[in-house]
Amino acid sequence: MRKNGTVIRAYNLNWSTLQLVKEPIKGGTSIPFYIDNDANVKALGESWKGAGEGGDNVVFVTLGTGVGGGVIAEGNLIHGKIGTAASATGVV
């Protein structure tokens, strides 16, 4: 889904079916657009300009409607098989 620019099962947005999000946003803004799991993007932000700035290894934990997180290992975002490597359930 990350590579295709699609989202499925975003219950906080009331999306239970496949949504094509990349092309409409990219077309409407004319800027490069990437999509990823929210906790992964938060981990990237922390490693870029947050508490983990300058670190090659960063772990970010989210607490909200569930437990999730993102992992930067040796400067690389770890996605795992379905893009939720650091999620407590492995499913978003």
Side-chain angles (χ1 to χ4, degrees):
M1 288 186 271
R2 181 173 42 93
K3 292 179 182 177
N4 296 332
T6 60
V7 175
I8 192 167
R9 294 188 307 262
Y11 298 113
N12 57 327
L13 299 173
N14 200 27
W15 293 351
S16 59
T17 60
L18 185 72
Q19 303 292 315
L20 307 173
V21 295
K22 181 179 181 176
E23 292 308 318
I25 293 172
K26 186 177 176 182
T29 62
S30 300
I31 60 173
F33 179 82
Y34 302 91
I35 191 166
D36 208 322
N37 173 282
D38 62 336
N40 288 343
V41 175
K42 292 172 187 173
L44 282 173
E46 286 296 329
S47 71
W48 180 44
K49 292 289 183 182
E53 184 175 358
D56 286 336
N57 300 296
V58 175
V59 175
F60 183 86
V61 177
T62 62
L63 300 171
T65 56
V67 178
V71 175
I72 311 294
E74 297 181 11
N76 298 300
L77 177 61
I78 306 301
H79 283 99
K81 186 175 180 179
I82 62 170
T84 58
S87 173
T89 63
V91 177
V92 175

